Amino acid sequence: MKLKILVAAGDGIGPEVTAEAVRILESVAEFGGYDFEFRHAPIGGTAIKVHGSPLPESTLDAALESDAVLLGAVGSNEFNALPPNRRPEAGLLQLRQALGGFANLRPSFAWPALCSNSPLRAEVVNGADILFVRELLGGLYFGEPRSWDREAGSAWNTMRYTRDEVIRVARVAFELARARRNKVTSVDKANVLEVSQLWRATVSEIATQYPDVTLEHQYVDACAMHLMNTPRNFDVVLTENLFGDILSDEAAVITGSLGMLPSATIGGQVNLYEPVHGSAPDIAGKGIANPLGAILTAAMVLRHSAKLEQDAQAVETSVRKVLEQGYRTADLARGETRMTVSTQEMGRLVYQSLNEIIDRRQAMHAV
Ligand code: NAD
């Protein structure tokens, strides 16, 4: 197995959490005898400082030459005065567009050891296991026309989808549901928006090709409520760009922290992997960021780009074990300091647990 991975750690806590994710991938490669090649490139504010651009050409070229891109986070308060198209975040939007991935997969899983961490009651979240499939290249974030006419005091964006854009992301959702619990909840606002009526009609049509998968439609406002009341009722949630952005952050409540959520963007020329959280300037440089979202993102690299399902599961099991042992980063600790560990320490604990799992697996194969 050979895999070229571009590591674009970015800003704030990006480099801190990405270092732990890379350590996990290196460990999997070493034990499995896989040839993972890592290259590093700047993106976001870090890239603006050195190259004057949030996505330097050298970074884009390196990304397009890779099999997978592992991103940390972008964003820094020192660039807030810049226009949106020159800010660190623009580098990430440009990269997403260039790589062409249209299906953003965001799992939201209630880790049993963390159920009491959720602001929701443990019995509500226990057993919740949701996979958001968010359309990433269309909708309001990219639709034209868009503008802000300051003199007229008016601004506008366009939510636009083509049938083909809906079909390709719907197929990803139905295929993934087949490997899970065979249910897709498609989320829209078809009672108000024509673009949602196209979305709903197209998803219903694709559903006929997947008779083994149950399709339900929900309006986005109702879905926001059901996610908090009955998160266990969801399996795959399929939705457009803006609704997916908001709902998947809302679902962070189920896991107990934004720092626990991984993501993968597939369907384009090169897959892009990034934890859901941002650069967290409020805690950057303190060594307290939760690296588990980034480490679980590394598991998604193994699953979707390297096709190493067993290794992906081994990483997820290591995370589960460390949480069961009671270790917490500050965001998960809720004021309890006894088992509170730093970013690096959490990374080392997962690394140690992973090595034990792999050792045991190899010993079993040797028998
Ligand atoms: P954020 O996700 O950076 O932080 C929100 C809150 O969650 C903060 O209190 C932060 O400390 C906490 N948090 C986030 N990740 C954590 C982790 N791994 N461990 C512990 N706590 C964690 O969102 P924000 O504050 O709205 O944005 C900060 C910057 O990040 C902005 O510049 C924004 O544009 C950018 N951003 C980037 C991405 C990305 O790179 N994909 C995503 C969202 C926001």
Side-chain angles (χ1 to χ4, degrees):
M1 155 55 57
K2 203 170 157 42
L3 201 71
K4 273 201 236 172
I5 303 169
L6 180 75
V7 181
D11 307 323
I13 62 167
E16 301 170 42
V17 297
T18 307
E20 303 310 318
V22 169
R23 186 142 60 128
I24 291 297
L25 287 173
E26 282 173 344
S27 167
V28 168
E30 189 188 328
F31 279 95
Y34 314 129
D35 181 7
F36 289 179
E37 180 191 319
F38 296 93
R39 286 176 71 183
H40 296 259
I43 191 167
T46 321
I48 295 176
K49 280 185 192 159
V50 181
H51 299 273
S53 155
L55 181 64
E57 233 167 83
S58 53
T59 299
L60 180 58
D61 290 346
L64 290 168
E65 284 163 16
S66 305
D67 300 308
V69 176
L70 178 63
L71 190 124
V74 294
S76 169
N77 293 338
E78 65 186 287
F79 300 107
N80 282 354
L82 290 178
N85 63 349
R86 289 178 43 213
R87 276 193 210 170
E89 292 83 346
L92 177 54
L93 287 182
Q94 287 160 17
L95 181 67
R96 284 177 181 167
Q97 236 176 342
L99 299 183
F102 56 84
N104 181 220
L105 316 184
R106 293 183 164 202
S108 192
F109 178 69
W111 297 88
L114 291 183
C115 279
S116 57
N117 271 74
S118 171
L120 301 177
R121 286 198 315 277
E123 65 266 29
V124 172
V125 291
N126 200 357
D129 178 3
I130 307 172
L131 176 63
F132 288 88
V133 178
R134 167 190 171 198
E135 201 292 325
L136 203 66
L137 289 187
L140 272 178
Y141 290 8
F142 293 100
E144 296 286 350
R146 58 187 297 162
S147 199
W148 178 5
D149 184 336
R150 286 174 170 76
E151 268 177 33
S154 101
W156 56 95
N157 291 87
T158 303
M159 187 187 275
R160 185 191 298 272
Y161 272 104
T162 65
R163 215 175 95 79
D164 286 349
E165 284 171 333
V166 182
I167 289 174
R168 64 183 187 176
V169 74
R171 287 219 166 96
V172 170
F174 282 100
E175 292 293 338
L176 289 167
R178 275 188 167 161
R180 292 170 51 96
R181 301 190 305 282
N182 291 72
K183 182 176 173 187
V184 170
T185 303
S186 176
V187 179
D188 60 42
K189 189 68 183 165
N191 48 344
V192 178
L193 303 174
E194 285 80 0
V195 66
S196 282
Q197 288 162 3
L198 167 87
W199 181 279
R200 189 174 280 222
T202 309
V203 172
S204 298
E205 189 186 317
I206 296 304
T208 61
Q209 297 163 20
Y210 297 86
D212 50 325
V213 179
T214 304
L215 169 67
E216 70 173 7
H217 298 282
Q218 280 185 11
Y219 296 133
V220 62
D221 37 358
C223 179
M225 180 188 63
H226 293 315
L227 274 172
M228 295 299 98
N229 276 337
T230 50
R232 272 199 304 265
N233 284 354
F234 292 91
D235 179 11
V236 174
V237 174
L238 165 65
T239 190
E240 64 87 47
N241 207 342
L242 174 67
F243 298 162
D245 197 1
I246 297 169
L247 293 177
S248 59
D249 263 31
E250 184 194 6
V253 169
I254 295 167
T255 63
S257 167
L258 197 50
M260 289 299 298
L261 297 182
S263 89
T265 302
I266 64 170
Q269 194 176 335
V270 180
N271 290 349
L272 173 64
Y273 299 87
E274 44 181 328
V276 167
H277 63 74
S279 57
D282 53 337
I283 56 166
K286 295 183 177 167
I288 59 170
N290 184 345
L292 296 180
I295 288 173
L296 293 165
T297 299
M300 294 188 88
V301 173
L302 296 170
R303 173 167 296 123
H304 295 284
S305 281
K307 307 292 177 204
L308 294 169
E309 178 60 31
Q310 203 185 15
D311 291 299
Q313 284 182 21
V315 174
E316 289 160 352
T317 305
S318 314
V319 169
R320 181 173 57 73
K321 290 201 160 164
V322 169
L323 291 173
E324 279 169 5
Q325 286 158 6
Y327 295 105
R328 304 281 184 266
T329 41
D331 55 315
L332 301 170
R334 306 209 135 209
E336 165 62 64
T337 52
R338 210 167 29 95
M339 301 283 270
T340 304
V341 295
S342 67
T343 309
Q344 276 193 349
E345 183 64 2
M346 182 57 97
R348 195 191 59 76
L349 287 160
V350 176
Y351 171 84
Q352 204 175 305
S353 171
L354 176 66
N355 287 3
E356 282 164 17
I357 291 172
I358 295 176
D359 274 349
R360 223 172 302 128
R361 201 170 73 194
Q362 288 182 340
M364 271 169 61
H365 282 298
V367 174

